[in-house]
Amino acid sequence: LFQALTTKLTAGGVTSSVTNVDYQAVPIALTWLSFYRLSVDSGVSATLATITALRTACPKSAIVLAGYSQGAQVVHESLHMVGETDRPFITSVLLIADPLFDPNDDSASYVGAPDLGREGVFGDYPVPSWASGRVGTLCLTGDSVCQTDPSGSHDLDELFLLDANPLAAAWIEISELFTGSVHSSGYGSDHYMA
């Protein structure tokens, strides 16, 4: 997937590199929720440090953040904590199967066809206003990570993965938005897509 994005950007004359943020991801399951929370917190800390390091090392570059499943939650929560100095460098964000999917978030653009009556498995959480217009979220109808019934209980042990083809299409679509030098960051999760 990252290779497809890099190929598309290179063909358009854009220099890019991928920086993975390493953290210990764990599955979303009722028996692992305390470990899951620690894992997300670790991922957020690592993401914020990586953003600052990229901005410092490459001050003329744009930073694109992307995450899938737990990685999307890490990116989503990182947006709420990123410092004001780093914000201008984050030009685009792609959240794929976000456990915090908010169907009423006017700050995000939807890629795919989510059911806007459903939310992420951990509730709905809008992206911060400073990121308005920079965030795309890919959530497909029926995905049990980002399309849960807000009035019902969530069976966290029955979570399933998205098919890779819509993800590749989303990466290609979002890659068409950029010009210049881009750092795109991939985030690990138990469903890591690199």
Side-chain angles (χ1 to χ4, degrees), residues 74-156:
V74 166
V75 171
H76 194 140
E77 290 187 23
S78 295
L79 292 176
H80 287 274
M81 299 176 69
V82 70
E84 288 186 31
T85 305
D86 292 334
R87 292 176 185 175
F89 294 87
I90 300 171
T91 59
S92 294
V93 178
L94 179 60
L95 305 173
I96 304 168
D98 183 5
L100 301 174
F101 175 76
D102 183 350
N104 301 306
D105 189 355
D106 293 333
S107 297
S109 300
Y110 302 111
V111 180
D115 177 344
L116 298 180
R118 295 182 165 276
E119 62 187 28
V121 70
F122 293 128
D124 55 352
Y125 189 43
V127 298
S129 59
W130 72 263
S132 182
R134 303 180 202 185
V135 178
T137 184
L138 173 62
C139 180
L140 302 179
T141 299
D143 184 298
S144 59
V145 173
C146 60
Q147 287 283 271
T148 58
D149 183 351
S151 63
S153 63
H154 309 307
D155 187 356
L156 297 176

